[in-house]
């Protein structure tokens, strides 16, 4: 979240990929301008199964440990559309230099813990229409993603989130899918 100091404070909340799932909570509790990148729309059975797996991992003592099972379930399919992938994160961009920088950065691409995955699945459940009524319809929202981003189902999941936000009454909403 970014804000400027002074009498005319403007809050801009940015969510990408995993963090965009917290956006409904932000919109419901404050008056930001929202920028949401690379989000998707996920089915309730997938979220329920993920939540159960995260819960079981937590019960088995893995709540605070990186969760390889859920990591692989979340990301293993992302490179399927990439011809001859060099890394497991080539799906992020067509720019090989950016992929290399991402892969080399210790603050990027780390595995979530089982607890973090459980929280992510809980947050994603907040994106369903029955939960969106808490959103302030006056908050401007800018959704963007790549048109071939597998997380957003190549644009289809992002469009679904856009339509559901519109149906929830959000009036100032823009969707941009980049080629």
């Amino acid at each position: 979240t970014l804000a400027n100091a002074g009498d005319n404070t403007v809050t801009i909340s940015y969510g990408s990929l995993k963090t965009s799932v917290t956006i409904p909570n932000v919109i419901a509790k404050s008056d930001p301008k929202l920028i949401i990148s690379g989000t998707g729309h996920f089915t309730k059975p997938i979220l329920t199964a993920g939540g159960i797996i995260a819960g079981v991992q937590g019960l088995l003592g893995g709540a605070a440990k990186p969760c390889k099972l859920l990591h692989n379930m979340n990301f293993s399919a992302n490179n399927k559309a990439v011809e001859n992938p060099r890394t497991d994160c080539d799906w992020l961009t067509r720019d090989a230099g950016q992929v290399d920088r991402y892969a080399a950065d210790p603050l990027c691409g780390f595995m979530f813990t089982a607890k973090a995955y459980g929280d992510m699945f809980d947050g994603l459940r907040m994106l369903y229409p029955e939960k969106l009524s808490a959103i302030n319809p006056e908050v401007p929202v800018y959704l963007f993603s790549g048109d071939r981003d597998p997380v957003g189902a190549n644009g289809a999941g992002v469009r679904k989130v856009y339509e559901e936000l519109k149906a929830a009454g959000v009036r100032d909403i823009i969707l941009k899918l980049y080629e």
Side-chain angles (χ1 to χ4, degrees):
T1 301
L2 303 173
N4 67 349
D7 296 335
N8 298 317
T9 299
V10 175
T11 303
I12 300 172
S13 293
Y14 170 78
S16 68
L17 194 56
K18 295 174 184 171
T19 59
S20 67
V21 304
T22 65
I23 293 299
N25 292 325
V26 172
I27 317 176
K29 296 175 182 160
S30 62
D31 187 26
K33 298 354 177 210
L34 293 176
I35 300 171
I36 305 172
S37 165
T39 196
H41 192 275
F42 306 93
T43 65
K44 289 181 183 180
I46 292 292
L47 297 178
T48 300
I52 290 169
I53 292 169
V56 168
Q57 292 264 319
L59 290 173
L60 296 175
K65 296 177 185 170
C67 188
K68 188 171 184 172
L69 174 63
L70 286 171
H71 179 81
N72 290 339
M73 290 173 68
N74 273 282
F75 295 105
S76 64
N78 288 352
N79 261 350
K80 282 185 180 177
V82 177
E83 190 175 318
N84 302 316
R86 300 175 307 115
T87 73
D88 62 355
C89 53
D90 281 1
W91 62 274
L92 288 168
T93 177
R94 293 177 289 247
D95 183 332
Q98 290 295 336
V99 169
D100 291 343
R101 280 189 277 289
Y102 178 90
D105 188 332
L107 299 177
C108 295
F110 58 88
M111 257 186 243
F112 264 27
T113 64
K115 172 74 170 111
Y117 270 114
D119 291 345
M120 183 184 79
F121 295 130
D122 288 344
L124 283 166
R125 279 191 280 279
M126 296 301 295
L127 290 174
Y128 281 96
E130 62 271 16
K131 304 284 187 175
L132 294 177
S133 62
I135 291 176
N136 176 352
E138 300 303 320
V139 171
V141 177
Y142 177 63
L143 284 166
F144 73 97
S145 187
D147 66 349
R148 290 188 268 169
D149 183 349
V151 173
N154 300 317
V158 184
R159 283 187 201 95
K160 183 138 179 108
V161 170
Y162 170 83
E163 292 300 331
E164 289 178 347
L165 286 168
K166 278 182 70 173
V170 175
R171 297 189 238 321
D172 185 3
I173 184 166
I174 296 169
L175 169 63
K176 173 67 178 168
L177 294 175
Y178 290 91
E179 293 180 12

